Structure formats: C-alpha cells, structure tokens
Amino acid sequence: MTTGSISYAMGNAIKETFALILAGGSGSRIKYLTQWHVKPAVPFGGKYRSIDFSLSNCINSNIRRIGILTQYKSHSLNTHIQMGWSFLRGELGEFISLMPAQQRTESSWYKGTADAVFQNLDILRTYHSRYTLILAGDHIYKMDYAAMLQQHIENRADVTVGCVEVPVKEAPAFGVMSVDQSQRITSFTEKPAEPDTIPGKSDTSLASMGIYIFNTDFLFTLLEKDAPDQRSEHDFGKDLLPAVVGSAARIFAYPYRDALNTGRAYWRDVGTIDAYYAANQELLDVSPQLNLYDRQWPIWTYQEQLPPAKFVFNDEGRRGMAVDSMIADGCIISGSHVNHSLLSSNVHVHSFCEIENAVILPNVEIGRNCRLRNVIIDKGCQIPPNTVIGYDLEGDRANYYVSDQGIRLVSPHMLGQEFCNIA
C-alpha cells in the first residue's frame, strides 16, 4: 500500500498515530563502533546512519509525529537528527522530538524498553494519540507501517507485532511466537533455548522484529501495571507481551512484507560485528535485496556537502580504480585497487594499496602500500603506510578486534590515535 492509495479513514488513523523510536541502548555487542556514540548513530551503507531507516519508513508511511528516546552517548545522534531531519513542519502537526532520559519517575537510567516508554508517559499523554508505533532505531529494512496499521485496525487488535521468518538455529536471539490461522498470537517467548517452529516448516521460526503497534490506552495500562512489579525486567519482549498473550487481549502478528511488495522482505538486526559487516557487504551485490537506489521508497539522511568521488592515476601498477564497490562522496582513490568494498564519505586511499572486502567508515586515511581485507575501519582512523591487515589471523588478534567469523575491526584507539569520533 502506498500513501497515494490510503483511504480517508486510514489517513485519519495515520494522523492519530505517534511513532516512538527506542534509541537509547549502549550497543555493546558491536564493540568499538559504539565507543563514542549510540548504535542508531553508527554509519551504515556509505552515507547513512542506522536510525535513518526507521525514520525514512515513518516519513514514507506518512507518519510524521515521531519521538526518539535517547540515553547513552547521544550527542552524535542528536546532531544528526537536528541537521538532517529538521524539515518537518510543526505548524502542520509534524515533528521529530528528541526525548533524552531525564529520570522523571526515579533516579535511574532506563531499565528496559518498556521502562523507557513508561518514564516518558507524561510527555506521551500530551500527544493524544490513538495508536502508538514502537520501533527500534538500529535495524536496517524498508517497511510500510501504514499497511501494518491497517491490519491492526481491521483485526480490532490491542497489539500487533511485526514478525519475520528466521532459521530456527537463529531464533534463540529473538522473541519467538506461535500464531493461529487468523495470525492471532498464541504464545510468545523471548530468546527461547528451544524455539517453536512454523507448522510445516520445521527449520523456520516466527521471530519478533521489535516493531509493535499498540492502542495507546491499552499500552498505558500495561506500562502502569508493569512498572511496580519488582520481578519484571520491564521489557516488551520479556515481560509485557508474554504477560498478555493468552488473555482476553487481542494480540496479532503482522507478517513482514517489503515496502513495495516485491516479495523479497529484507530486515537485518546489525547488532553484532559480523551482522553489521555482512549487511554492508550485501549492498555490493549486483541486485541487492536492500535497494538504496529505489526512488519510490527513498532513504533520507543528512547530506554533507562534499565533492564527487575521484579516481586518479592510470599507470601500470599505479591505477586508481574500484570494482564491485560503493564509493561515497568526498573519496579519493589515488593509484590503488579497491575490490568488493564499501567506502564511506571522505576516505582517502593513497597509492599502491590493495583494499578487498572492506567496510570503511567516514574520514579515514589509508597510507601508501597498505593491504587490507576482511576489515571494518572505524571513523577517523589514520592507517599508517605499509600496514597489512587480514592476512595473519593471530597477528591481527594481538593488535585488533577479530570477530567469530574473522572480521577485523580497527579503531583509532587500537592504532594509538586519540581521535574522538563523537560527530
């Protein structure tokens, strides 16, 4: 469903929806990439931040009342939102509101996803929304939330949970649900050791995407009931949803479809180094599942004013070129060969380098005669000339972080550099 086909009634329902993006987690599983900023602010895809995908989905779904709950290391995220997402018109009832942790109800940080919302109930009540859309700020996907809202209304649901099919071996990392023929959820277990499978698909489970639509009054009731419970971890997946499944409440699953109904639903949780690397590398496929060139469902972001990418020198043994790669604005490839790699903005590769299977974040300089492969280079790194990474596993483990799948993560700190990439 596109915004052009939305009925008058659905248009009103969308206007009565408030989207709340949870962007306060510390993101410790992606290690040094969140040393200076929160996970939703981590660069992705050459020019974006992770949170741009949830925000773009909201805008493209015509949901334009949005709150962002922040907590840890939020400066770069706040700056990004202010510079790239200030185009909404307040006089038309559109806004993106940054909602930092302020310890309104008690002197503690957010204890869980549900507690983060509960601690902001006084603000949420002022928006007088009929529906509340809860989103994570660190997942990569395209989704039409208006279609999910329409199903929520048609089902007369109290809660609708966005879900995606995952291999059963991966399911213990998610909330796993079972549903009946009407998609009503009959069980919900957070990170089960032995996950339920889909009938007829013994190798597949139905996993929560961390996307919820609540009737707002019902949400507030659940939060107020959960808050004083000392046994609760105050988390949507661990506590609130399991508590109401099987009750008189109407809890439904929404099977995820891609925004344009092409039949290939793409959703990635980039919460580990290996997942983050793989999702960036997938963009280099000839026909990637996540199409960043799609004009019907654009991904919006802050556009830094930079010159086009440049490739210089065409001499034998010193030829500036990139193959099967994505090169962002401001990059200079000077007499080096880049293969199957993603270079973010303002990356300078000096001569005689071989760069392969790399994800390089913004503002990196790579000195002459470097050989890098299977690496993530963090923002602001200055790679010394003659550096070799990706060819000696044990040697790399002594100097850098090496993931379970052998991806090397290099940060300024590991290089003995004092760069603080809070921007």
Side-chain angles (χ1 to χ4, degrees):
M1 183 179 69
T2 63
T3 54
S5 63
I6 293 174
S7 68
Y8 178 80
M10 270 304 299
N12 283 339
I14 290 170
K15 290 179 180 179
E16 294 178 307
T17 299
F18 178 71
L20 192 58
I21 300 178
L22 305 179
S26 60
S28 58
R29 292 187 301 156
I30 55 173
K31 309 298 177 182
Y32 297 91
L33 293 181
T34 51
Q35 184 175 6
W36 297 108
H37 45 217
V38 71
K39 188 164 59 167
V42 171
F44 182 86
K47 64 184 299 183
Y48 306 99
R49 306 287 183 114
S50 296
I51 199 171
D52 289 329
F53 290 83
S54 296
L55 286 169
S56 295
N57 289 337
C58 286
I59 298 303
N60 292 332
S61 301
N62 214 29
I63 295 173
R64 294 175 174 242
R65 296 196 302 158
I66 305 165
I68 303 174
L69 292 179
T70 64
Q71 183 168 229
Y72 300 105
K73 303 175 183 177
S74 62
H75 174 75
S76 64
L77 178 62
N78 295 344
T79 300
H80 176 71
I81 298 302
Q82 290 165 358
M83 296 181 71
W85 290 91
S86 59
F87 56 84
L88 297 183
R89 302 297 298 268
E91 63 270 30
L92 300 179
E94 306 173 352
F95 61 86
I96 293 178
S97 177
L98 289 164
M99 302 167 65
Q102 298 182 55
Q103 301 181 351
R104 287 185 179 83
T105 60
E106 55 184 278
S107 57
S108 65
W109 290 111
Y110 298 146
K111 298 173 184 176
T113 54
D115 182 60
V117 180
F118 175 75
Q119 288 200 34
N120 288 277
L121 279 188
D122 58 333
I123 295 177
L124 299 180
R125 285 193 171 100
T126 66
Y127 296 140
H128 304 291
S129 65
R130 185 174 181 181
Y131 308 103
T132 301
L133 170 64
I134 307 287
L135 304 169
D138 53 6
H139 295 160
I140 308 299
Y141 64 108
K142 297 180 181 181
M143 185 174 183
D144 186 352
Y145 302 137
M148 183 175 174
L149 178 62
Q150 182 173 31
Q151 179 180 297
H152 177 85
I153 294 170
E154 290 172 352
N155 286 335
R156 295 178 291 109
D158 296 302
V159 187
T160 299
V161 180
C163 60
V164 64
E165 294 185 6
V166 300
V168 68
K169 63 181 180 180
E170 299 176 11
F174 301 94
V176 175
M177 67 196 82
S178 297
V179 298
D180 63 18
Q181 292 182 344
S182 68
Q183 299 297 321
R184 189 164 182 171
I185 298 174
T186 57
S187 69
F188 189 103
T189 307
E190 182 73 2
K191 299 182 178 179
E194 297 182 2
D196 292 341
T197 58
I198 297 174
K201 296 182 179 181
S202 60
D203 60 345
T204 306
S205 295
L206 197 60
S208 169
M209 302 167 67
I211 298 173
Y212 316 112
I213 294 178
F214 285 88
N215 293 342
T216 300
D217 290 344
F218 183 73
L219 171 63
F220 289 176
T221 299
L222 291 183
L223 293 173
E224 290 168 338
K225 181 179 180 180
D226 173 77
D229 187 350
Q230 296 184 357
R231 299 168 299 172
S232 174
E233 295 184 42
H234 310 293
D235 184 88
F236 283 110
K238 293 179 181 178
D239 304 291
L240 268 73
L241 290 175
V244 295
V245 168
S247 69
R250 297 177 62 81
I251 317 298
F252 286 83
Y254 176 76
Y256 168 53
R257 309 174 185 89
D258 80 300
L260 298 176
N261 295 313
T262 63
R264 296 194 301 171
Y266 178 98
W267 178 81
R268 297 290 186 270
D269 179 351
V270 291
T272 67
I273 289 297
D274 288 324
Y276 177 81
Y277 174 84
N280 276 280
Q281 287 281 296
E282 286 172 347
L283 298 176
L284 306 178
D285 294 344
V286 174
S287 299
Q289 280 189 265
L290 181 66
N291 180 11
L292 296 178
Y293 301 88
D294 172 17
R295 295 189 177 185
Q296 295 185 63
W297 200 269
I299 304 302
W300 308 88
T301 191
Y302 167 61
Q303 299 276 6
E304 185 178 1
Q305 297 302 310
L306 295 169
K310 182 166 71 171
F311 305 80
V312 295
F313 297 114
N314 191 28
D315 305 325
E316 192 65 32
R318 192 190 187 194
R319 181 167 290 118
M321 61 182 297
V323 179
D324 290 337
S325 298
M326 294 178 68
I327 312 297
D329 287 350
C331 289
I332 301 175
I333 312 300
S334 176
S336 286
H337 182 245
V338 176
N339 181 41
H340 203 264
S341 295
L342 187 149
L343 274 59
S344 304
S345 56
N346 275 331
V347 172
H348 187 179
V349 182
H350 290 272
S351 293
F352 310 113
C353 293
E354 291 288 333
I355 312 295
E356 183 177 7
N357 298 330
V359 175
I360 302 179
L361 302 192
N363 305 320
V364 168
E365 184 166 0
I366 300 173
R368 286 189 169 200
N369 297 300
C370 289
R371 296 169 62 214
L372 310 176
R373 70 177 182 185
N374 302 331
V375 297
I376 301 172
I377 308 295
D378 197 8
K379 290 178 66 176
C381 282
Q382 305 291 306
I383 305 297
N386 303 303
T387 298
V388 177
I389 305 173
Y391 295 84
D392 178 0
L393 182 60
E394 294 307 317
D396 288 343
R397 281 192 173 129
N399 296 292
Y400 315 110
Y401 174 81
V402 180
S403 73
D404 292 340
Q405 296 182 17
I407 304 306
R408 282 71 161 170
L409 170 62
V410 181
S411 70
H413 175 75
M414 298 172 190
L415 298 169
Q417 298 164 4
E418 296 301 322
F419 179 77
C420 178
N421 61 12
I422 60 174

